[in-house]
Amino acid sequence: MFSKSNLLATLAATIAMFLLGWLIWGFATVDFFEGHTLTNIMKEPPEMVLIFVSNLIGAFVLSAVYGKWSHGHHGIGQGFEFGVAIGAFLGISVGLMWYATANLFDFTGYAVEAIIEVAYYGIVGVVISLVYKATNKTTD
């Protein structure tokens, strides 16, 4: 769990999650989601340190799970497949639960959020996989 591969993948994934998250949700889709928000619950300004800590914890967990899931096979395809599975769970499954129980977004907002989550975690999975590949002696 605290292997060199896991710790370096955690660091790389934390940076990727933080920067990609800012680019996607903090910049590129702000206007779109403003138009599909039913109840604005955002803090102004958001607590960036806690967002970074959240990304660090999430990246550590994702990296540790990836290390078990991959069985030593590391590459772009494996990382993307892993990330897409995580993104589908969070974006589609959890997103549908939020849509069924809360008034945060309209259906279009949740649908777009699901697509973004799948792509976002797909990219994060690739980052994790590439670090594992670079730091393991026995790779494909």
Short mmCIF file of all heavy atoms in Angstrom, two decimals, residues 42-90:
data_model
loop_
_atom_site.label_atom_id
_atom_site.label_comp_id
_atom_site.label_asym_id
_atom_site.label_seq_id
_atom_site.Cartn_x
_atom_site.Cartn_y
_atom_site.Cartn_z
N MET A 42 -22.84 26.15 -3.64
CA MET A 42 -21.40 26.38 -3.68
C MET A 42 -20.96 27.39 -2.63
O MET A 42 -21.63 28.40 -2.42
CB MET A 42 -20.97 26.89 -5.06
CG MET A 42 -21.01 25.85 -6.14
SD MET A 42 -19.81 24.52 -5.89
CE MET A 42 -18.27 25.40 -6.05
N LYS A 43 -19.80 27.12 -2.02
CA LYS A 43 -19.16 28.10 -1.15
C LYS A 43 -18.43 29.09 -2.04
O LYS A 43 -17.85 28.73 -3.04
CB LYS A 43 -18.11 27.41 -0.26
CG LYS A 43 -18.67 26.66 0.89
CD LYS A 43 -17.51 26.18 1.76
CE LYS A 43 -18.02 25.52 3.01
NZ LYS A 43 -16.91 25.12 3.89
N GLU A 44 -18.45 30.33 -1.65
CA GLU A 44 -17.71 31.37 -2.37
C GLU A 44 -16.79 32.07 -1.40
O GLU A 44 -17.26 32.75 -0.50
CB GLU A 44 -18.67 32.37 -3.01
CG GLU A 44 -19.46 31.81 -4.17
CD GLU A 44 -18.60 31.36 -5.35
OE1 GLU A 44 -17.48 31.90 -5.54
OE2 GLU A 44 -19.03 30.47 -6.07
N PRO A 45 -15.52 31.93 -1.53
CA PRO A 45 -14.81 31.07 -2.47
C PRO A 45 -14.72 29.64 -1.91
O PRO A 45 -14.83 29.43 -0.71
CB PRO A 45 -13.42 31.70 -2.55
CG PRO A 45 -13.21 32.27 -1.18
CD PRO A 45 -14.58 32.74 -0.73
N PRO A 46 -14.48 28.66 -2.78
CA PRO A 46 -14.32 27.29 -2.29
C PRO A 46 -13.01 27.17 -1.50
O PRO A 46 -12.09 27.97 -1.69
CB PRO A 46 -14.27 26.45 -3.57
CG PRO A 46 -14.03 27.39 -4.67
CD PRO A 46 -14.43 28.75 -4.22
N GLU A 47 -12.94 26.20 -0.63
CA GLU A 47 -11.75 25.99 0.20
C GLU A 47 -10.75 25.13 -0.56
O GLU A 47 -10.81 23.90 -0.55
CB GLU A 47 -12.15 25.36 1.52
CG GLU A 47 -13.14 26.24 2.27
CD GLU A 47 -13.08 26.07 3.76
OE1 GLU A 47 -12.02 25.68 4.28
OE2 GLU A 47 -14.10 26.34 4.39
N MET A 48 -9.80 25.80 -1.23
CA MET A 48 -8.87 25.13 -2.13
C MET A 48 -7.97 24.13 -1.41
O MET A 48 -7.64 23.08 -1.96
CB MET A 48 -8.03 26.16 -2.88
CG MET A 48 -8.88 27.10 -3.75
SD MET A 48 -9.98 26.25 -4.89
CE MET A 48 -8.83 25.74 -6.13
N VAL A 49 -7.57 24.42 -0.19
CA VAL A 49 -6.72 23.48 0.56
C VAL A 49 -7.48 22.18 0.80
O VAL A 49 -6.91 21.08 0.62
CB VAL A 49 -6.24 24.10 1.89
CG1 VAL A 49 -5.55 23.07 2.76
CG2 VAL A 49 -5.32 25.28 1.62
N LEU A 50 -8.75 22.28 1.17
CA LEU A 50 -9.53 21.06 1.39
C LEU A 50 -9.79 20.31 0.08
O LEU A 50 -9.85 19.08 0.08
CB LEU A 50 -10.84 21.39 2.09
CG LEU A 50 -10.69 21.85 3.54
CD1 LEU A 50 -12.05 22.19 4.13
CD2 LEU A 50 -9.98 20.80 4.38
N ILE A 51 -9.94 21.03 -1.01
CA ILE A 51 -10.08 20.37 -2.31
C ILE A 51 -8.80 19.59 -2.63
O ILE A 51 -8.85 18.44 -3.06
CB ILE A 51 -10.40 21.39 -3.42
CG1 ILE A 51 -11.81 21.95 -3.21
CG2 ILE A 51 -10.29 20.74 -4.80
CD1 ILE A 51 -12.17 23.11 -4.12
N PHE A 52 -7.64 20.20 -2.37
CA PHE A 52 -6.38 19.51 -2.60
C PHE A 52 -6.25 18.28 -1.70
O PHE A 52 -5.85 17.21 -2.17
CB PHE A 52 -5.19 20.46 -2.38
CG PHE A 52 -3.88 19.84 -2.74
CD1 PHE A 52 -3.45 19.83 -4.06
CD2 PHE A 52 -3.08 19.26 -1.77
CE1 PHE A 52 -2.24 19.24 -4.40
CE2 PHE A 52 -1.87 18.67 -2.11
CZ PHE A 52 -1.45 18.66 -3.44
N VAL A 53 -6.59 18.39 -0.43
CA VAL A 53 -6.52 17.25 0.49
C VAL A 53 -7.48 16.15 0.03
O VAL A 53 -7.14 14.96 0.06
CB VAL A 53 -6.81 17.70 1.95
CG1 VAL A 53 -6.98 16.50 2.87
CG2 VAL A 53 -5.69 18.61 2.45
N SER A 54 -8.67 16.54 -0.40
CA SER A 54 -9.63 15.57 -0.93
C SER A 54 -9.05 14.84 -2.13
O SER A 54 -9.17 13.61 -2.24
CB SER A 54 -10.93 16.29 -1.32
OG SER A 54 -11.78 15.42 -2.02
N ASN A 55 -8.41 15.58 -3.03
CA ASN A 55 -7.78 14.96 -4.20
C ASN A 55 -6.65 14.02 -3.77
O ASN A 55 -6.49 12.94 -4.35
CB ASN A 55 -7.24 16.02 -5.15
CG ASN A 55 -8.31 16.78 -5.90
OD1 ASN A 55 -8.05 17.86 -6.41
ND2 ASN A 55 -9.51 16.25 -5.99
N LEU A 56 -5.88 14.42 -2.78
CA LEU A 56 -4.78 13.58 -2.28
C LEU A 56 -5.31 12.26 -1.73
O LEU A 56 -4.80 11.18 -2.06
CB LEU A 56 -3.99 14.34 -1.21
CG LEU A 56 -2.84 13.58 -0.54
CD1 LEU A 56 -1.75 13.29 -1.56
CD2 LEU A 56 -2.29 14.40 0.62
N ILE A 57 -6.33 12.33 -0.91
CA ILE A 57 -6.91 11.11 -0.33
C ILE A 57 -7.52 10.24 -1.43
O ILE A 57 -7.30 9.03 -1.49
CB ILE A 57 -7.94 11.46 0.75
CG1 ILE A 57 -7.25 12.11 1.95
CG2 ILE A 57 -8.73 10.21 1.19
CD1 ILE A 57 -8.18 12.80 2.93
N GLY A 58 -8.28 10.86 -2.32
CA GLY A 58 -8.88 10.12 -3.42
C GLY A 58 -7.84 9.48 -4.32
O GLY A 58 -7.98 8.33 -4.74
N ALA A 59 -6.79 10.22 -4.63
CA ALA A 59 -5.72 9.68 -5.48
C ALA A 59 -5.03 8.50 -4.81
O ALA A 59 -4.69 7.51 -5.46
CB ALA A 59 -4.71 10.78 -5.81
N PHE A 60 -4.80 8.59 -3.50
CA PHE A 60 -4.18 7.48 -2.77
C PHE A 60 -5.05 6.23 -2.84
O PHE A 60 -4.56 5.13 -3.13
CB PHE A 60 -3.90 7.87 -1.31
CG PHE A 60 -3.29 6.75 -0.52
CD1 PHE A 60 -1.94 6.45 -0.67
CD2 PHE A 60 -4.05 6.00 0.35
CE1 PHE A 60 -1.37 5.40 0.05
CE2 PHE A 60 -3.49 4.96 1.07
CZ PHE A 60 -2.14 4.66 0.92
N VAL A 61 -6.33 6.39 -2.58
CA VAL A 61 -7.24 5.24 -2.62
C VAL A 61 -7.31 4.67 -4.04
O VAL A 61 -7.21 3.45 -4.23
CB VAL A 61 -8.64 5.63 -2.10
CG1 VAL A 61 -9.64 4.51 -2.33
CG2 VAL A 61 -8.57 5.98 -0.62
N LEU A 62 -7.48 5.53 -5.03
CA LEU A 62 -7.54 5.05 -6.41
C LEU A 62 -6.25 4.33 -6.80
O LEU A 62 -6.29 3.27 -7.44
CB LEU A 62 -7.79 6.21 -7.37
CG LEU A 62 -9.18 6.82 -7.37
CD1 LEU A 62 -9.22 8.07 -8.24
CD2 LEU A 62 -10.21 5.81 -7.85
N SER A 63 -5.13 4.88 -6.43
CA SER A 63 -3.85 4.27 -6.77
C SER A 63 -3.67 2.91 -6.08
O SER A 63 -3.20 1.95 -6.70
CB SER A 63 -2.70 5.20 -6.38
OG SER A 63 -1.47 4.62 -6.70
N ALA A 64 -4.06 2.83 -4.82
CA ALA A 64 -3.95 1.56 -4.09
C ALA A 64 -4.87 0.51 -4.71
O ALA A 64 -4.47 -0.65 -4.90
CB ALA A 64 -4.28 1.76 -2.61
N VAL A 65 -6.10 0.88 -5.03
CA VAL A 65 -7.04 -0.06 -5.66
C VAL A 65 -6.53 -0.46 -7.04
O VAL A 65 -6.58 -1.63 -7.41
CB VAL A 65 -8.46 0.55 -5.72
CG1 VAL A 65 -9.39 -0.32 -6.56
CG2 VAL A 65 -9.03 0.74 -4.32
N TYR A 66 -6.03 0.51 -7.81
CA TYR A 66 -5.48 0.19 -9.12
C TYR A 66 -4.34 -0.83 -9.00
O TYR A 66 -4.25 -1.77 -9.80
CB TYR A 66 -4.98 1.45 -9.84
CG TYR A 66 -4.24 1.09 -11.10
CD1 TYR A 66 -4.93 0.82 -12.27
CD2 TYR A 66 -2.85 0.96 -11.12
CE1 TYR A 66 -4.27 0.43 -13.42
CE2 TYR A 66 -2.17 0.58 -12.25
CZ TYR A 66 -2.88 0.31 -13.40
OH TYR A 66 -2.21 -0.09 -14.53
N GLY A 67 -3.47 -0.64 -8.01
CA GLY A 67 -2.35 -1.55 -7.82
C GLY A 67 -2.81 -2.99 -7.62
O GLY A 67 -2.18 -3.93 -8.11
N LYS A 68 -3.90 -3.18 -6.91
CA LYS A 68 -4.47 -4.52 -6.70
C LYS A 68 -5.19 -5.00 -7.95
O LYS A 68 -5.11 -6.16 -8.33
CB LYS A 68 -5.44 -4.52 -5.52
CG LYS A 68 -4.85 -4.07 -4.22
CD LYS A 68 -4.07 -5.16 -3.57
CE LYS A 68 -3.63 -4.69 -2.19
NZ LYS A 68 -2.51 -5.44 -1.70
N TRP A 69 -5.94 -4.13 -8.60
CA TRP A 69 -6.77 -4.47 -9.74
C TRP A 69 -5.95 -4.85 -10.97
O TRP A 69 -6.32 -5.73 -11.73
CB TRP A 69 -7.69 -3.29 -10.05
CG TRP A 69 -8.52 -3.42 -11.27
CD1 TRP A 69 -9.75 -4.01 -11.37
CD2 TRP A 69 -8.21 -2.94 -12.58
NE1 TRP A 69 -10.21 -3.93 -12.65
CE2 TRP A 69 -9.28 -3.28 -13.42
CE3 TRP A 69 -7.12 -2.26 -13.12
CZ2 TRP A 69 -9.30 -2.96 -14.77
CZ3 TRP A 69 -7.14 -1.95 -14.46
CH2 TRP A 69 -8.22 -2.30 -15.27
N SER A 70 -4.83 -4.19 -11.17
CA SER A 70 -4.08 -4.33 -12.42
C SER A 70 -3.31 -5.62 -12.55
O SER A 70 -2.96 -6.01 -13.66
CB SER A 70 -3.12 -3.16 -12.56
OG SER A 70 -2.10 -3.25 -11.58
N HIS A 71 -3.00 -6.28 -11.45
CA HIS A 71 -2.22 -7.54 -11.45
C HIS A 71 -0.90 -7.38 -12.22
O HIS A 71 -0.48 -8.29 -12.92
CB HIS A 71 -3.04 -8.69 -12.03
CG HIS A 71 -4.28 -8.99 -11.26
ND1 HIS A 71 -4.26 -9.51 -9.99
CD2 HIS A 71 -5.59 -8.81 -11.57
CE1 HIS A 71 -5.49 -9.66 -9.55
NE2 HIS A 71 -6.32 -9.23 -10.48
N GLY A 72 -0.29 -6.21 -12.12
CA GLY A 72 1.02 -5.99 -12.74
C GLY A 72 0.98 -5.63 -14.21
O GLY A 72 2.03 -5.49 -14.83
N HIS A 73 -0.19 -5.47 -14.80
CA HIS A 73 -0.31 -5.09 -16.21
C HIS A 73 -0.64 -3.60 -16.28
O HIS A 73 -1.75 -3.20 -15.95
CB HIS A 73 -1.40 -5.91 -16.90
CG HIS A 73 -1.16 -7.37 -16.83
ND1 HIS A 73 -0.22 -8.02 -17.60
CD2 HIS A 73 -1.72 -8.33 -16.06
CE1 HIS A 73 -0.21 -9.29 -17.33
NE2 HIS A 73 -1.12 -9.52 -16.38
N HIS A 74 0.32 -2.81 -16.70
CA HIS A 74 0.17 -1.36 -16.69
C HIS A 74 0.30 -0.79 -18.09
O HIS A 74 1.27 -1.08 -18.79
CB HIS A 74 1.20 -0.72 -15.77
CG HIS A 74 1.27 -1.35 -14.42
ND1 HIS A 74 0.22 -1.34 -13.55
CD2 HIS A 74 2.26 -2.05 -13.82
CE1 HIS A 74 0.56 -1.99 -12.45
NE2 HIS A 74 1.79 -2.43 -12.59
N GLY A 75 -0.64 0.01 -18.48
CA GLY A 75 -0.59 0.69 -19.76
C GLY A 75 -1.75 1.65 -19.87
O GLY A 75 -2.62 1.71 -18.99
N ILE A 76 -1.76 2.38 -20.96
CA ILE A 76 -2.80 3.39 -21.15
C ILE A 76 -4.18 2.74 -21.15
O ILE A 76 -5.11 3.24 -20.51
CB ILE A 76 -2.55 4.18 -22.45
CG1 ILE A 76 -1.30 5.05 -22.27
CG2 ILE A 76 -3.75 5.04 -22.82
CD1 ILE A 76 -0.84 5.74 -23.53
N GLY A 77 -4.33 1.62 -21.85
CA GLY A 77 -5.63 0.95 -21.92
C GLY A 77 -6.12 0.47 -20.57
O GLY A 77 -7.29 0.66 -20.23
N GLN A 78 -5.23 -0.15 -19.80
CA GLN A 78 -5.61 -0.64 -18.48
C GLN A 78 -5.98 0.52 -17.56
O GLN A 78 -6.96 0.45 -16.81
CB GLN A 78 -4.48 -1.47 -17.83
CG GLN A 78 -4.24 -2.79 -18.47
CD GLN A 78 -3.30 -2.72 -19.67
OE1 GLN A 78 -2.86 -1.65 -20.09
NE2 GLN A 78 -2.99 -3.86 -20.24
N GLY A 79 -5.20 1.58 -17.61
CA GLY A 79 -5.49 2.73 -16.76
C GLY A 79 -6.80 3.41 -17.13
O GLY A 79 -7.59 3.76 -16.26
N PHE A 80 -7.04 3.54 -18.43
CA PHE A 80 -8.28 4.17 -18.87
C PHE A 80 -9.48 3.31 -18.49
O PHE A 80 -10.49 3.82 -18.01
CB PHE A 80 -8.26 4.44 -20.38
CG PHE A 80 -9.40 5.28 -20.85
CD1 PHE A 80 -9.46 6.63 -20.54
CD2 PHE A 80 -10.43 4.72 -21.59
CE1 PHE A 80 -10.53 7.42 -20.97
CE2 PHE A 80 -11.50 5.48 -22.02
CZ PHE A 80 -11.55 6.83 -21.71
N GLU A 81 -9.37 1.99 -18.69
CA GLU A 81 -10.46 1.08 -18.32
C GLU A 81 -10.78 1.17 -16.83
O GLU A 81 -11.93 1.23 -16.44
CB GLU A 81 -10.07 -0.35 -18.69
CG GLU A 81 -11.12 -1.38 -18.40
CD GLU A 81 -10.64 -2.78 -18.77
OE1 GLU A 81 -9.99 -2.94 -19.81
OE2 GLU A 81 -10.93 -3.71 -17.99
N PHE A 82 -9.74 1.19 -16.01
CA PHE A 82 -9.92 1.33 -14.56
C PHE A 82 -10.62 2.65 -14.23
O PHE A 82 -11.60 2.68 -13.49
CB PHE A 82 -8.56 1.25 -13.86
CG PHE A 82 -8.62 1.57 -12.39
CD1 PHE A 82 -9.12 0.64 -11.49
CD2 PHE A 82 -8.19 2.79 -11.92
CE1 PHE A 82 -9.18 0.93 -10.14
CE2 PHE A 82 -8.24 3.09 -10.56
CZ PHE A 82 -8.73 2.16 -9.67
N GLY A 83 -10.12 3.74 -14.80
CA GLY A 83 -10.69 5.05 -14.52
C GLY A 83 -12.13 5.17 -15.00
O GLY A 83 -12.97 5.77 -14.31
N VAL A 84 -12.44 4.60 -16.15
CA VAL A 84 -13.81 4.65 -16.67
C VAL A 84 -14.75 3.91 -15.73
O VAL A 84 -15.87 4.36 -15.48
CB VAL A 84 -13.87 4.09 -18.11
CG1 VAL A 84 -15.29 3.75 -18.52
CG2 VAL A 84 -13.26 5.09 -19.08
N ALA A 85 -14.30 2.78 -15.18
CA ALA A 85 -15.15 2.04 -14.23
C ALA A 85 -15.43 2.90 -12.99
O ALA A 85 -16.58 2.96 -12.53
CB ALA A 85 -14.48 0.73 -13.84
N ILE A 86 -14.42 3.55 -12.48
CA ILE A 86 -14.60 4.43 -11.32
C ILE A 86 -15.52 5.60 -11.70
O ILE A 86 -16.44 5.95 -10.96
CB ILE A 86 -13.24 4.97 -10.82
CG1 ILE A 86 -12.34 3.83 -10.35
CG2 ILE A 86 -13.44 6.02 -9.72
CD1 ILE A 86 -12.86 3.00 -9.21
N GLY A 87 -15.28 6.20 -12.87
CA GLY A 87 -16.10 7.32 -13.32
C GLY A 87 -17.55 6.93 -13.54
O GLY A 87 -18.47 7.69 -13.24
N ALA A 88 -17.79 5.72 -14.06
CA ALA A 88 -19.16 5.24 -14.26
C ALA A 88 -19.86 5.05 -12.91
O ALA A 88 -21.03 5.42 -12.75
CB ALA A 88 -19.18 3.95 -15.06
N PHE A 89 -19.13 4.50 -11.95
CA PHE A 89 -19.71 4.34 -10.62
C PHE A 89 -20.10 5.69 -10.03
O PHE A 89 -21.24 5.89 -9.60
CB PHE A 89 -18.74 3.61 -9.68
CG PHE A 89 -19.17 3.64 -8.26
CD1 PHE A 89 -20.26 2.90 -7.83
CD2 PHE A 89 -18.51 4.42 -7.33
CE1 PHE A 89 -20.69 2.93 -6.51
CE2 PHE A 89 -18.92 4.47 -6.01
CZ PHE A 89 -20.01 3.71 -5.60
N LEU A 90 -19.16 6.62 -10.04
CA LEU A 90 -19.43 7.93 -9.43
C LEU A 90 -20.37 8.78 -10.27
O LEU A 90 -21.31 9.38 -9.75
CB LEU A 90 -18.12 8.67 -9.18
CG LEU A 90 -17.22 8.06 -8.13
CD1 LEU A 90 -15.86 8.74 -8.12
CD2 LEU A 90 -17.87 8.13 -6.77
#
